[in-house]
Amino acid sequence: KKSKFVQGTLFEDDYLIRTLGSLGTQPDIALTELVANAWDAGATQVDIFIPDEKGQKLTIQDNGTGLTKEEFYSRWMKLSYNRLKHQGKMVEFPKGIDLKRYAYGRNGVGRHGLLCFNSEYQVITNKNGTESTFTLTTKNENQPFIIKDESFKKSKQIGTRLEVIVKKNLPNPTTILEVISARFLHDPKFLVSINKQTIQLEEHKGLVESTTVKVGDIKLQVNLIDSKKSRKSTLYQGIAIWQGGRLVGEPSWILGNIMV
C-alpha cells in the first residue's frame, strides 16, 4: 500500500531516554515515579528489590489493579498519556479495597522510569484472569519504543511486576528508601519496602519533632516531618490526619476554616 507521505520520523535508540531529563538519569527520581504509578494503580503494597551490582535484575512488584492487553496498548504505549482525560483524578482500587485517593499521574511520563537503568525492560501485569508479559525496548529506528515480545497465560493474581537488568545508574537502597518513604509516608495504607526493609514514621530522618497534644478529652500524637527528602514536589503536603491506622480525608494546610 502506497504511503501518503514521503518520509516519516526516525528515532535514535536513546531518543526517549534523552527526553526524560532527570527521570532517565537519577535512580531516586525514576523509582519514586514508578512507585507513584503503583499508587495510581490502587496498590497498597509495593516491594522493590535493588541488586548489589550492575548486570543483575531490579524488580518492582505491586498489588494494584494491573492492566489488560488493551489497556496496556492504549495507556503504557501512548506517549504523554493524559490520565486525567482518560481515567479521571481518582484512583481505581482492586475489588474489595475500600479506600479513596487522588492519582499522582498527569502526563504518563513516570512509567518510563525503568529506562534509567536499561533500554530494555519487562512488564508482567495481571488483570481479569490473564497474566500479560511485555518486553519493551527503545532499540528501533522508526519508533521511540516498541513491544519487542509479548505472551499471555491464565492467572488468578492481580498487580504488576516490573523487571529490568541494571546496566547503568545502580541505585543505593538506603537512599532510595529514605526518598520514597518521605513522599508516601502520609498514608499508612500504602506500604513500600526495599530489599525487605521499610521505614516507620518514628524512624524517618525527616522527623523533626514528635509530641502529644491534648484537646479536651482527645489525645493527638503530632509528628512534624521535613518532606524535602522527597527531592520533588508532591501532590500531598500539609497536615495528614490518621485515625485507627487510616488516613482521614486528604492532607491539607487548611483545617476546617483555619489556614495553618
Side-chain angles (χ1 to χ4, degrees):
K1 195 172 182 180
K2 189 175 182 181
S3 174
K4 294 182 179 179
F5 52 86
V6 176
Q7 171 65 49
T9 304
L10 300 178
F11 295 90
E12 289 286 358
D13 56 23
D14 65 345
Y15 162 79
L16 186 55
I17 298 171
R18 283 189 280 136
T19 65
L20 295 176
S22 57
L23 182 68
T25 58
Q26 297 184 31
D28 57 330
I29 293 177
L31 288 172
T32 300
E33 289 298 323
L34 289 166
V35 172
N37 263 19
W39 167 278
D40 291 354
T44 56
Q45 177 81 35
V46 183
D47 298 307
I48 300 173
F49 174 75
I50 297 174
D52 295 328
E53 55 188 44
K54 293 178 182 177
Q56 298 178 341
K57 188 179 291 185
L58 181 152
T59 64
I60 305 172
Q61 176 87 46
D62 72 56
N63 64 348
T65 56
L67 295 164
T68 64
K69 175 183 176 180
E70 292 72 26
E71 288 170 341
F72 189 86
Y73 280 14
S74 63
R75 297 177 188 178
W76 199 282
M77 298 306 296
K78 184 177 289 185
L79 291 174
S80 297
Y81 172 74
N82 187 331
R83 186 205 154 86
L84 282 176
K85 176 182 176 182
H86 298 290
Q87 293 175 257
K89 63 182 180 180
M90 302 305 298
V91 168
E92 174 191 351
F93 289 92
K95 189 175 180 181
I97 303 295
D98 181 24
L99 293 173
K100 176 185 175 183
R101 71 170 64 140
Y102 290 100
Y104 276 104
R106 294 292 183 272
N107 55 19
V109 174
R111 69 186 186 280
H112 297 303
L114 288 179
L115 294 176
C116 179
F117 311 109
N118 198 333
S119 60
E120 183 171 310
Y121 62 89
Q122 256 192 349
V123 179
I124 303 103
T125 184
N126 298 267
K127 191 172 184 180
N128 296 345
T130 299
E131 179 180 282
S132 307
T133 300
F134 303 97
T135 302
L136 295 101
T137 180
T138 60
K139 301 288 186 180
N140 186 278
E141 194 176 60
N142 297 313
Q143 299 283 341
F145 72 119
I146 60 169
I147 298 175
K148 178 181 176 181
D149 190 30
E150 64 180 16
S151 63
F152 308 93
K153 66 180 182 180
K154 291 183 179 180
S155 169
K156 294 181 179 180
Q157 305 298 316
I158 61 169
T160 298
R161 180 180 176 88
L162 308 176
E163 299 185 351
V164 63
I165 301 296
V166 180
K167 287 191 174 181
K168 57 182 180 177
N169 303 319
L170 180 67
N172 179 296
T174 302
T175 301
I176 299 300
L177 183 56
E178 290 176 2
V179 170
I180 288 178
S181 61
R183 182 169 181 181
F184 297 100
L185 199 63
H186 70 274
D187 191 341
K189 290 296 183 181
F190 186 71
L191 304 176
V192 180
S193 75
I194 297 181
N195 295 3
K196 297 185 178 181
Q197 299 294 314
T198 60
I199 291 183
Q200 301 301 315
L201 185 146
E202 62 271 13
E203 300 170 341
H204 200 281
K205 288 185 178 180
L207 184 64
V208 177
E209 184 180 352
S210 184
T211 187
T212 301
V213 177
K214 286 197 71 176
V215 184
D217 295 331
I218 300 172
K219 184 189 290 185
L220 301 173
Q221 180 70 28
V222 180
N223 301 288
L224 179 62
I225 298 170
D226 178 2
S227 63
K228 288 187 293 184
K229 290 211 172 272
S230 62
R231 301 185 192 175
K232 188 174 174 70
S233 62
T234 173
L235 176 68
Y236 290 102
Q237 295 183 1
I239 298 173
I241 298 176
W242 297 359
Q243 183 178 21
R246 292 189 64 160
L247 178 68
V248 179
E250 303 296 335
S252 174
W253 289 118
I254 299 175
L255 295 179
N257 58 358
I258 299 173
M259 173 87 65
V260 180

